[in-house]
Amino acid sequence: MMILDTHAWIWWISESEKLSQKAQNSIQTSNFIGIPAISCWEIAMLVSKQRLELSMDVQAWINLALQRPRLKLLPLTPEIAVLSTRLPGNFHGDPADRLIVATSLVYDASLISKDEKIRIWPYLDVIW
């Protein structure tokens, strides 16, 4: 399974050139693509703050985006919530990033992310 950070999910769905070739190849060859539930909240917040513009209502976009083949919405479990507060090393404080990283750790999956703060953290395989 491959897990997508929120921006990677948006770029994959929109077929953006911002998604690296390595990330695209990893998505193509993965049996399952995981989307942390917190990413739905992040997208809705970006739209509500007018930092992201979609071609349709955010709820409709999310519903359609979750229908992609091989895609699986990963719930926010108590294990993920607790682990997000116990990440080793010096991980930064953004709650959504912490939950996305904890989701990747719980599922023992690589994360596709361009986020430099996540990519330099040595405890997770991050693809970009």
Side-chain angles (χ1 to χ4, degrees):
M1 178 190 302
M2 185 68 51
I3 294 181
L4 304 184
D5 199 345
T6 304
H7 60 273
W9 183 30
I10 294 167
W11 295 344
W12 177 55
I13 295 296
S14 66
E15 299 178 358
S16 172
E17 292 181 9
K18 293 179 181 178
L19 194 61
S20 74
Q21 190 61 51
K22 185 176 180 182
Q24 290 178 41
N25 292 344
S26 295
I27 292 168
Q28 288 279 11
T29 59
S30 181
N31 291 333
F32 292 100
I33 298 121
I35 304 298
I38 192 69
S39 291
C40 298
W41 175 84
E42 271 198 302
I43 290 171
M45 285 300 294
L46 289 169
V47 169
S48 74
K49 292 179 178 183
Q50 300 179 340
R51 292 179 51 206
L52 175 65
E53 188 175 322
L54 301 173
S55 60
M56 62 186 72
D57 176 73
V58 66
Q59 184 67 63
W61 188 94
I62 289 170
N63 291 344
L64 279 173
L66 289 172
Q67 292 179 18
R68 280 276 179 109
R70 301 179 294 127
L71 193 137
K72 179 177 180 166
L73 182 64
L74 305 175
L76 174 55
T77 64
E79 180 183 11
I80 291 168
V82 171
L83 180 58
S84 75
T85 69
R86 297 177 175 170
L87 297 175
N90 191 20
F91 196 82
H92 69 93
D94 181 275
D97 284 352
R98 294 181 76 85
L99 290 166
I100 289 167
V101 165
T103 300
S104 296
L105 292 172
V106 165
Y107 283 91
D108 193 26
S110 297
L111 176 66
I112 293 181
S113 180
K114 187 177 183 178
D115 187 319
E116 186 66 25
K117 291 178 182 176
I118 294 174
R119 289 173 46 215
I120 63 171
W121 191 64
Y123 301 94
L124 179 65
D125 180 37
V126 180
I127 295 169
W128 191 251

